[in-house]
């Protein structure tokens, strides 16, 4: 039963898609995080649907829709984390100041510059391709979110993180399985390394940000996830 609670709790927290069942159970918080990877299936499903219905749109307009879909589906929650981390890390201040900047609700110049570059790059990637593999559109968001769940569950949290009270749990098995499936199947059955690149970039960005900010947090997860999906998209478009 806690897994059912966890699934819908994850839906309500990590997606902007209206959740059909609004429930909460504090004992299911570890299941909620473990189900984060499953949210990638919903995002990927919407990505595939958009790819189908937008096929006859002019390519620049279609590219805008495809680039924005994962941000819209998540309610910009991960993009917000990306901007916060960019502001904090690029300030090049001492650790205590970087952590304060991370939690500051104001948007700084570094965040604006970085999100502008991100938007242009993601749009350009889809603008460069007439077609993309729909299987990869499903696997990339699963891989990025499975990595996100694993990182939050396994890495030491920042002192101010909402996950500091999260208890260690065997629920990490589910995101591990989701990550393995989303990476292995594309490599062996489609010859695509896009989800693998997505996962690799997630961990590189995550370890870099954790080292810069003194622990794992939701913002760092959003930062890493955003760049990981961009990497997956670039590999998908440029290599296949």
């Amino acid at each position: 039963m806690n897994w059912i609670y966890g699934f819908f709790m994850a839906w309500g927290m990590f997606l902007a898609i209206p959740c059909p069942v609004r429930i909460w159970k504090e004992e299911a918080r570890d299941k909620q995080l473990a189900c984060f990877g499953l949210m990638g299936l919903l995002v990927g499903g919407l990505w595939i649907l958009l790819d189908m219905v937008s096929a006859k749109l002019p390519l620049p307009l279609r590219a805008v829709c495809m680039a924005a879909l994962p941000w819209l589906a998540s309610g910009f929650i991960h993009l917000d984390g990306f901007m916060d981390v960019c502001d904090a890390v690029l300030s090049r201040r001492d650790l205590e100041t970087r952590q304060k900047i991370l939690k500051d609700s104001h948007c700084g110049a570094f965040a604006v510059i970085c999100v502008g570059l991100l938007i242009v790059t993601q749009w350009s990637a889809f603008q460069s391709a007439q077609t993309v593999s729909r299987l990869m559109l499903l696997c990339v968001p699963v891989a990025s979110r499975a990595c996100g769940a694993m990182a939050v569950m396994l890495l030491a949290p920042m002192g101010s993180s909402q996950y500091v009270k999260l208890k260690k749990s065997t629920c990490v098995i589910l995101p591990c399985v989701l990550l393995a499936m989303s990476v292995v199947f594309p490599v062996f059955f489609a010859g695509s390394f896009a989800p693998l690149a997505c996962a690799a970039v997630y961990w590189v960005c995550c370890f870099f940000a954790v080292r810069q900010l003194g622990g794992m947090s939701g913002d760092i997860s959003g930062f890493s996830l955003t760049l990981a999906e961009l990497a997956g998209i670039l590999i998908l478009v440029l290599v296949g």
Side-chain angles (χ1 to χ4, degrees), residues 222-235:
F223 167 80
S224 306
L225 187 152
T226 299
L227 290 176
E229 290 191 345
L230 175 62
I233 292 166
L234 289 172
I235 295 299

Side-chain angles (χ1 to χ4, degrees), residues 2-85:
N2 278 350
W3 281 105
I4 297 175
Y5 275 95
F7 176 83
F8 287 109
M9 286 163 61
W11 187 330
M13 174 169 284
F14 299 119
L15 295 177
I17 308 165
C19 182
V21 181
R22 293 185 174 274
I23 53 177
W24 183 269
K25 188 176 182 181
E26 190 62 29
E27 292 82 359
R29 283 182 65 88
D30 58 339
K31 309 294 191 301
Q32 175 196 32
L33 191 56
C35 289
F36 187 27
L38 295 176
M39 301 305 104
L41 293 173
L42 297 176
V43 174
L46 287 176
W47 229 348
I48 292 171
L49 180 61
L50 177 62
D51 184 57
M52 295 170 62
V53 301
S54 66
K56 294 186 178 181
L57 289 177
L59 186 56
L61 180 57
R62 179 175 177 274
V64 169
C65 296
M66 293 294 289
L69 186 280
W71 305 328
L72 291 167
S74 62
F76 301 100
I77 185 173
H78 308 307
L79 199 59
D80 177 69
F82 168 80
M83 295 175 70
D84 288 342
V85 171

Side-chain angles (χ1 to χ4, degrees), residues 152-190:
V152 172
M153 298 175 82
L154 296 176
L155 300 180
M158 193 182 303
S160 59
S161 172
Q162 61 177 314
Y163 299 115
V164 71
K165 296 182 180 180
L166 185 69
K167 297 179 180 179
K168 296 297 182 182
S169 171
T170 57
C171 295
V172 72
I173 294 173
L174 175 59
C176 287
V177 170
L178 289 172
L179 176 60
M181 292 177 64
S182 62
V183 168
V184 172
F185 278 104
V187 171
F188 285 98
F189 295 101

